[in-house]
Amino acid sequence: MKNTRIAVFEEHGSGEAKIRGIREHGRCMEIKSVFDIRENFPEFIDDPSAYITNDFTADVVLDFLKHPDLSEYLAKICAEKKIPVVASGKKHQGAITPFT
């Protein structure tokens, strides 16, 4: 059985504890890439593509982004790429939003 490849998008290390938990306890899971955005953002981001590239592959994406414009853009990219995105505690069309 092949490992599930995970891409993580976070701001200022916001997913660090979850990443550590997956690495320590996750079975058949591999954190393939971590995109840690360390910017101070305006209230509204006109061009989220300046911060999030669509040049990634994964079986699932974990969204720990705090800025809603970035999180919504990530969900849009993942929908286009047909990659499920888990955005815990958020409500975005196309994202899986489990309880936090």
Side-chain angles (χ1 to χ4, degrees):
M1 174 186 252
K2 79 174 199 170
N3 286 347
T4 299
R5 299 170 303 139
I6 301 170
V8 177
F9 287 80
E10 63 179 352
E11 286 178 48
H12 300 279
S14 57
E16 189 174 303
K18 304 287 191 209
I19 292 168
R20 187 172 42 255
I22 291 169
R23 286 185 171 144
E24 289 177 17
H25 305 288
R27 291 184 175 85
C28 299
M29 292 183 242
E30 171 191 1
I31 303 290
K32 179 158 176 67
S33 51
V34 176
F35 300 92
D36 188 10
I37 304 170
R38 295 190 171 265
E39 301 279 334
N40 293 316
F41 300 108
E43 188 173 325
F44 179 77
I45 298 175
D46 286 327
D47 183 15
S49 68
Y51 303 100
I52 297 176
T53 178
N54 67 355
D55 186 26
F56 64 90
T57 60
D59 297 317
V60 67
V61 167
L62 301 181
D63 172 4
F64 296 108
L65 297 169
K66 296 176 182 179
H67 198 290
D69 295 332
L70 295 178
S71 192
E72 287 180 25
Y73 180 71
L74 178 61
K76 179 183 168 197
I77 290 172
C78 289
E80 291 170 0
K81 294 169 93 58
K82 295 181 175 31
I83 300 172
V85 59
V86 177
S88 185
K90 302 172 189 171
K91 299 212 185 247
H92 296 301
Q93 185 173 3
I96 301 165
T97 56
F99 295 106
T100 56

